[in-house]
Amino acid sequence: MIIMVSIDLTALRCPLALVKVKLALKQLEDGETLCVSLSDIGSRQDVPRFLKKVGYRYFELCNDENVLKIKIENLR
């Protein structure tokens, strides 16, 4: 069974959005997926950069002028 957690961080600006993503990732169990929505320009750059740096696998579901939606897999 795949469990997916979704959080909408479009109302938050960086660094708070990045902090919320980090906290959500700590609560994920192995095999769970986190979907995140971001709108702040800084968050849209910093969150993917952080994920790549620490080794999470993620996919862009939507990336337009208003929102970046990413799916993050916890394969640790």
Side-chain angles (χ1 to χ4, degrees):
M1 179 165 96
I2 297 175
I3 297 176
M4 187 178 305
V5 178
S6 295
I7 54 175
D8 181 354
L9 301 176
T10 55
L12 302 179
R13 296 178 58 189
C14 212
L16 187 54
L18 178 59
V19 170
K20 294 278 189 180
V21 169
K22 288 179 179 181
L23 290 172
L25 289 171
K26 284 184 179 183
Q27 296 178 6
L28 283 186
E29 300 291 332
D30 289 346
E32 291 183 342
T33 300
L34 176 65
C35 287
V36 180
S37 298
L38 304 161
S39 62
D40 174 61
I41 293 171
S43 300
R44 292 172 69 154
Q45 295 172 353
D46 291 348
V47 170
R49 186 179 304 132
F50 164 76
L51 295 170
K52 183 180 271 188
K53 179 180 176 182
V54 296
Y56 280 96
R57 191 165 104 181
Y58 68 94
F59 307 93
E60 288 185 4
L61 301 175
C62 174
N63 189 0
D64 61 28
E65 67 229 20
N66 299 315
V67 68
L68 169 64
K69 292 183 183 179
I70 55 177
K71 180 173 86 168
I72 307 161
E73 295 180 346
N74 187 14
L75 302 173
R76 299 173 161 229

